Amino acid sequence: MALVDVRMPGMNGVELVIRLAAEQPRVAAIVLSTFDEDDYIFGALRGGAVGYLLKDCSPDELVAAIVRAGRGETVLGSPVAARLVAQLRHGRADPGGFPGQELLSAREIEVARMVAAGAANKEIAARLFITEGTVKNHVSSILRKLDVRDRVQLILHLKQ
């Protein structure tokens, strides 16, 4: 279990959640922050956080959230849940696409989604019955077309 803030020295908390999800999938992350901004909330949840609480929650609420997250439940503070519901009611839920998707081939979209799910090149190659070299070529092409510098930025881009 990891408690993460969205603003930390050295790394944005959303980036940390994405890295944890990709590199340590067994570690559940709850964001505990004073910031209730949409970019942080939805970025963290899309990135793999199992919960988002505001720091004004009570100690009992925090302990209960950690226990529930440990059981595999999603935990959202009341203000965060209200914000999520408002987004859904106004039709702004993620339709499944991502910015720049139209620039990629169907195979590149498939590879990009597998990267976002945390798959390594070797795993992608095995699943798609292609060589690791071909996967690397696809990843390089995706990074260039979407104008992102590395896999972490690609994951952030796809989670928008």
Side-chain angles (χ1 to χ4, degrees), residues 33-99:
S33 185
T34 58
F35 302 100
D36 65 347
E37 299 169 20
D38 286 355
D39 289 346
Y40 292 139
I41 294 169
F42 300 115
L45 295 173
R46 285 185 187 117
V50 298
Y52 198 108
L53 301 170
L54 298 179
K55 287 185 179 177
D56 63 357
C57 71
S58 73
D60 290 339
E61 288 174 303
L62 178 58
V63 170
I66 292 169
V67 169
R68 288 179 31 226
R71 291 192 306 242
E73 297 178 34
T74 300
V75 292
L76 299 174
S78 294
V80 174
R83 201 171 210 133
L84 178 60
V85 170
Q87 287 284 329
L88 292 171
R89 284 188 181 146
H90 290 91
R92 293 188 301 252
D94 184 6
F98 54 87

Side-chain angles (χ1 to χ4, degrees), residues 122-157:
K122 186 174 185 173
E123 186 178 356
I124 295 169
R127 284 191 200 167
L128 299 180
F129 303 103
I130 57 179
T131 68
E132 281 186 70
T134 301
V135 173
K136 289 177 185 178
N137 289 340
H138 284 312
V139 171
S140 294
S141 177
I142 293 163
L143 297 177
R144 182 180 39 77
K145 288 179 179 181
L146 296 181
D147 194 28
V148 295
R149 85 175 163 257
D150 57 30
R151 290 171 88 98
V152 172
Q153 279 197 338
L154 175 61
I155 293 168
L156 286 169
H157 184 86

